[in-house]
Amino acid sequence: REAAGMAGLNIFASQNELRAAYEHDLLKKSARVAVIPNGLAVSDFKTTADSPIRLPSTTTEKPIIIITAGRFGDYAKGADLVYRAFVRLAKVRSDVFLVSVDDQQRFAYILQTLPADRYQLVDWLAREALFSAMTQADFAVVPSRYEPFGLIAIEAMAHGLPVVAN
């Protein structure tokens, strides 16, 4: 609260975040504030990089490719949700393949009940490579339990992907 009071301007990404700051008494009523929503420059959506998606060589037909991405070391991002859902789906559908792009593999043990050729875990990617992966996917899953601004969802939709979000 003291730092916010001394700041020349307190910037928030949404009205909800600003409201939460007031509700939690983090701002004095006299604090200078501005709301500047997140945004995207569609011109940045280059897809010239090689896609990191590597389908198994045993695949004869292209499977339905599901992509998910996030800071999955954070429980709020919901990796466990998408992994559990995918395990259930993969047990009844042989034509699905999950690509998970994340910074950690904290919940990867959930997928280990499936054959390794049903999913691919990819370390965090540069934006261009992520966008190339999105062009190969059939839809994106954003399983966050809480998301103030779902950048991955917006980027996927900008690439024409349907998005399943929690």
Side-chain angles (χ1 to χ4, degrees), residues 10-161:
N10 295 274
I11 300 173
F12 296 85
S14 71
Q15 289 292 337
N16 287 341
E17 296 293 323
L18 174 59
R19 188 173 19 265
Y22 280 125
E23 288 172 0
H24 291 91
D25 201 28
L26 300 175
L27 289 173
K28 295 178 183 176
K29 296 292 182 194
S30 61
R32 291 193 54 222
V33 299
V35 175
I36 302 174
N38 291 323
L40 298 176
V42 178
S43 60
D44 290 346
F45 286 17
K46 300 173 190 164
T47 57
T48 57
D50 289 336
S51 174
I53 297 176
R54 302 289 174 247
L55 296 174
S57 58
T58 57
T59 304
T60 55
E61 294 183 29
K62 181 188 176 290
I64 298 168
I65 299 173
I66 303 164
I67 191 166
T68 190
R71 289 181 293 106
F72 287 156
D74 182 346
Y75 178 75
K77 294 297 183 176
D80 61 309
L81 298 175
V82 73
Y83 292 174
R84 283 184 177 89
F86 183 74
V87 166
R88 291 179 69 185
L89 177 63
K91 287 181 179 176
V92 296
R93 299 278 310 245
S94 62
D95 61 344
V96 293
F97 185 81
L98 176 69
V99 176
S100 179
V101 181
D102 61 82
D103 61 341
Q104 292 185 34
Q105 296 181 0
R106 177 179 173 192
F107 298 104
Y109 69 91
I110 296 169
L111 295 171
Q112 292 175 357
T113 61
L114 296 174
D117 64 354
R118 299 298 303 277
Y119 61 91
Q120 180 183 1
L121 302 175
V122 180
D123 289 334
W124 203 245
L125 298 170
R127 288 174 58 88
E128 191 174 325
L130 176 61
F131 296 158
S132 289
M134 285 181 177
T135 64
Q136 280 194 276
D138 294 293
F139 67 94
V141 176
V142 181
S144 300
R145 289 177 168 87
Y146 169 76
E147 190 68 61
F149 183 80
L151 188 59
I152 296 294
I154 301 299
E155 291 170 339
M157 288 187 286
H159 281 90
L161 288 180

